[in-house]
Amino acid sequence: MDLGLGHKIAGEKPEKLSELLRHVSAKAGDKISLGEIAHAMDDRSFGAFLVVFCLPNLVPLPPGATFILGLPLIFIACQMAFSRLDTIWLPRRLREYTFDNKAFSAVLDKFIPWMNKAERFIKPRFFSGNRMVERVLGIFALVLALIVFLPIPLGNMGPSLALALMGLGLTERDGLMMGAGVVVGGIFGIIVSFVGYEIITNIPFFISQIPHYWDGFRNFFM
């Protein structure tokens, strides 16, 4: 099945990522593979995959979920920063991995209205697809992806929003949107890092208080 939508759809390239994602889902069958999405996104695959894998992280997640949902972001950011290619590369197992297209469409139904609102302000400006800029952005994206990966309560949402803005800007060649993502990422990165530092540094104190908590529990119930 030819899903080279990143090149041309009905004679022209879709202007917006939301439109492109809709076309990918519409052209696929009951199952859709990551390889089909990557092929359709073509030279916009770095930004598009950032957005796609940020979507699940934009909602509160149960403990441990970021270990799974953060890994694809790390994988994408590493390629943005260090790959010699200008498109995303997927190993065969990932490229052939399929999932339910109806579920994918349902996710799009939930998030595309928000993407449409953001896309009203997006247009090509201040960026012409320079690979070196993408590499620098990839290094910053990798830092944010690592923060998403860490099991910090609600620590996934802010950095994921920043990554989504960066992905949208990269996909639509909007340097201003990319810059906004960097600013948001910097702010949330500092906040999450501070919270994480406070949690880690206070672990010994909480451990030392366990005997007192146990005494209080025993005195209350016994």
Side-chain angles (χ1 to χ4, degrees):
M1 180 183 299
D2 184 8
L3 287 175
L5 303 173
H7 293 291
K8 184 180 292 186
I9 295 179
E12 66 180 57
K13 182 177 180 179
E15 295 182 354
K16 303 299 181 182
L17 177 59
S18 58
E19 181 184 353
L20 183 54
L21 289 172
R22 280 295 189 197
H23 277 290
V24 174
S25 180
K27 292 290 185 179
D30 294 334
K31 296 286 186 178
I32 185 170
S33 70
L34 290 178
E36 289 173 338
I37 297 176
H39 179 64
M41 299 303 167
D42 193 43
D43 62 342
R44 303 199 288 175
S45 57
F46 285 135
F49 267 72
L50 271 183
V51 175
V52 168
F53 284 107
C54 278
L55 296 183
N57 288 288
L58 292 176
V59 296
L61 296 170
T66 54
F67 281 120
I68 299 174
L69 296 176
L71 282 175
L73 295 175
I74 294 175
F75 178 72
I76 297 165
C78 282
Q79 289 199 47
M80 285 179 60
F82 307 115
S83 175
R84 291 178 295 178
L85 304 174
D86 58 0
T87 60
I88 197 167
W89 172 84
L90 299 175
R92 184 176 61 84
R93 180 168 294 184
L94 279 180
R95 190 170 61 251
E96 296 177 353
Y97 177 79
T98 61
F99 47 91
D100 185 60
N101 192 22
K102 288 185 178 179
F104 180 62
S105 181
V107 172
L108 294 182
D109 289 339
K110 183 175 182 180
F111 287 102
I112 276 185
W114 296 95
M115 292 175 61
N116 287 335
K117 292 180 180 179
E119 286 170 344
R120 295 175 186 172
F121 305 98
I122 297 176
K123 60 182 179 181
R125 53 189 165 183
F126 308 128
F127 181 67
S128 58
N130 187 291
R131 187 68 181 98
M132 184 56 65
V133 174
E134 289 182 349
R135 292 186 187 280
V136 174
L137 199 67
I139 293 173
F140 185 68
L142 179 58
V143 174
L144 294 178
L146 289 171
I147 294 176
V148 173
F149 179 75
L150 296 175
I152 301 175
L154 301 180
N156 62 301
M157 298 176 66
S160 294
L161 174 61
L163 287 170
L165 293 175
M166 291 163 56
L168 281 172
L170 187 59
T171 303
E172 306 296 341
R173 300 293 189 259
D174 188 343
L176 188 61
M177 182 63 69
M178 291 161 56
V182 170
V183 172
V184 172
I187 294 173
F188 278 105
I190 293 172
I191 294 174
V192 173
S193 298
F194 175 77
V195 173
Y197 174 79
E198 288 296 317
I199 292 175
I200 293 174
T201 55
N202 281 286
I203 287 177
F205 171 77
F206 289 124
I207 293 176
S208 68
Q209 295 300 306
I210 289 177
H212 302 290
Y213 296 145
W214 172 249
D215 290 340
F217 176 82
R218 187 174 56 184
N219 292 335
F220 184 81
F221 289 98
M222 298 181 181

